[in-house]
Amino acid sequence: MTDATNTQIFHDSDADKGFRAGWWTSRVLIYGILILWAIICLFPIYWTITTSFKAAPDVMKGNLVPWVDYDPKWLGFRSLGLSPETIGNESTVREEFLKRFWNSTIVAVCSSLLALILGSMAAYGLSRFSYKFGFMRNGDILFFFLSQLILPPVVLALPFLVLYKEVALLDTRIGLILLYTLTVLPIVIWIMRDQFGSIPAELEEAALVDGLSVWGAFLTIVMPIALPGMVAAFILSLVLTWNEYFFAALLTSTHANTLPVMVASQTGSQGISWWSMAALSFMAILPLIVIGVLLERFIIKGMAAGAVK
C-alpha cells in the first residue's frame, strides 16, 4: 500500500523538460545582459563618486574600490568648501559654486517650463486641427520642427553671438533661457504630439457639447490625461538644458555661467584637478538623479503612452 501511494503517476515528457531548460537558459541570459548593461551605465557615476574622495596618487594609479585600494578622503569636496570641516567656514569657491548652481537651476527650469507650455499648445493644435501654411500641412510642419535638431549647434554659434551682442543678451540668464527653449522645443512637440494623438477626440467633443470651450476642454479633460507625458517631456528638457555646455560657454562669461562651464574650468597649469572635477560633477548630477528617482513612474508612463493605440 505504501509503495503504491509513493509511486509517481505523472512524469514530465522530454519536450516539457526541454522547454523548462530553455526557459531557464533564456532567463539567465536576459538577466545577465541586463545586469551587465546596468553595470556599464552606472560605472561612470560610481567612478565620479569614488574619484571625488581620492588623492592625486590614487587617481593616477586607477584605484577603484574604497577602503580596499585606497582610503577615502574629502579632498575633492574640501576644494569646493563642501567638506564637513569647511562647510561652516566662509569659502569663495563654495559661493561661486552656489552661484553657478543657482544659474543652472533658473535657466534649466524656466526654459523647460516655457518649452513645455509652448510645445504642448503647438502639439495639441497639430493633433486636433488641420493647418495649411503654403505647401506645408500638419505633417510637414511637424517635420520642420524636428528638422531643427539636425542642425549642428556650432553652425548657430556666430549668428547667435552677433545677435545677442546687438540686443544686449550676452552673459544674461534670459538669453540662455530663450536659446534653451528654442533648442528643446522640437523635442517637447514631438513627445506631446504622440501624447495628444493617443487621447480620443470624442472626450473633447463630449466636453464641448456640455458647454466647455476649446480651452476649457484642453485644461480640464486633455491635460490631466496627458500629465505623465508632460512630466516626461519636462524632465527630458530639464536634463538637456541642465547639461548644455557649448552655448553656455560661448554666450556667458561672468554673471550667467552655469555648472557645466564650471566643471570644464577645473584645469590649470598643473593639470586637471580630477578630485575637484569629480566632486563638482557629482554635485551637478545629484539633483537630476533625485528628480529621476522621484518621478520615475511619470517618465515610464509618458514614454510608453502613444506607443500602442
Side-chain angles (χ1 to χ4, degrees):
M1 186 69 179
T2 303
D3 294 339
T5 56
N6 292 336
T7 303
Q8 185 175 356
I9 300 175
F10 300 101
H11 300 272
D12 292 335
S13 64
D14 294 336
D16 293 333
K17 294 179 180 179
F19 174 79
R20 183 178 302 174
W23 185 87
W24 279 106
T25 302
S26 63
R27 288 292 175 177
V28 171
L29 181 62
I30 291 173
Y31 282 107
I33 294 175
L34 291 177
I35 293 173
L36 177 62
W37 182 247
I39 294 175
I40 294 174
C41 293
L42 295 177
F43 179 78
I45 300 177
Y46 171 81
W47 184 90
T48 301
I49 296 174
T50 55
T51 302
S52 63
F53 293 97
K54 294 178 183 178
D58 299 320
V59 175
M60 297 301 123
K61 293 178 182 178
N63 297 331
L64 292 176
V65 183
W67 293 290
V68 176
D69 294 335
Y70 68 96
D71 293 325
K73 300 178 179 62
W74 290 95
L75 183 61
F77 292 94
R78 187 182 300 116
S79 63
L80 300 177
L82 297 174
S83 62
E85 65 272 13
T86 60
I87 193 66
N89 303 328
E90 292 186 2
S91 173
T92 304
V93 180
R94 183 173 67 247
E95 293 178 0
E96 187 68 17
F97 164 75
L98 295 176
K99 175 184 175 182
R100 305 291 181 86
F101 185 89
W102 185 239
N103 286 342
S104 292
T105 302
I106 293 177
V107 171
V109 172
C110 291
S111 59
S112 299
L113 284 175
L114 187 58
L116 181 63
I117 295 172
L118 297 177
S120 296
M121 291 190 293
Y124 180 75
L126 290 173
S127 65
R128 290 296 188 266
F129 306 102
S130 297
Y131 295 97
K132 180 180 179 181
F133 186 75
F135 67 91
M136 301 178 67
R137 302 295 187 270
N138 284 32
D140 302 318
I141 296 174
L142 180 63
F143 177 76
F144 169 76
F145 284 119
L146 295 178
S147 65
Q148 307 307 305
L149 301 175
I150 302 175
L151 197 63
V154 68
V155 177
L156 304 174
L158 184 59
F160 271 108
L161 187 61
V162 175
L163 175 64
Y164 272 37
K165 183 179 180 181
E166 292 296 326
V167 297
L169 286 178
L170 285 177
D171 199 20
T172 60
R173 293 172 181 169
I174 186 64
L176 287 182
I177 290 173
L178 294 176
L179 180 57
Y180 287 176
T181 301
L182 181 64
T183 57
V184 299
L185 188 59
I187 299 176
V188 175
I189 295 176
W190 177 39
I191 295 176
M192 296 311 300
R193 171 66 175 78
D194 288 340
Q195 289 290 312
F196 294 136
S198 64
I199 299 175
E202 290 78 7
L203 297 177
E204 299 155 74
E205 295 173 357
L208 296 177
V209 171
D210 291 339
L212 288 177
S213 63
V214 175
W215 278 104
F218 174 74
L219 295 175
T220 60
I221 303 299
V222 178
M223 277 192 59
I225 300 177
L227 182 61
M230 299 179 71
V231 174
F234 173 77
I235 294 176
L236 181 59
S237 302
L238 188 68
V239 171
L240 293 176
T241 54
W242 183 276
N243 294 325
E244 204 282 327
Y245 168 77
F246 179 76
F247 286 115
L250 177 69
L251 302 177
T252 63
S253 57
T254 305
H255 302 291
N257 273 350
T258 56
L259 277 178
V261 179
M262 187 177 183
V263 173
S265 66
Q266 300 301 308
T267 57
S269 58
Q270 297 180 353
I272 302 176
S273 300
W274 293 107
W275 44 92
S276 300
M277 182 178 290
L280 187 57
S281 300
F282 172 67
M283 296 302 296
I285 65 177
L286 183 60
L288 299 181
I289 295 175
V290 174
I291 292 175
V293 172
L294 294 179
L295 301 180
E296 176 188 4
R297 60 188 183 96
F298 288 100
I299 299 175
I300 296 175
K301 288 182 180 179
M303 292 302 181
V308 180
K309 298 182 181 179

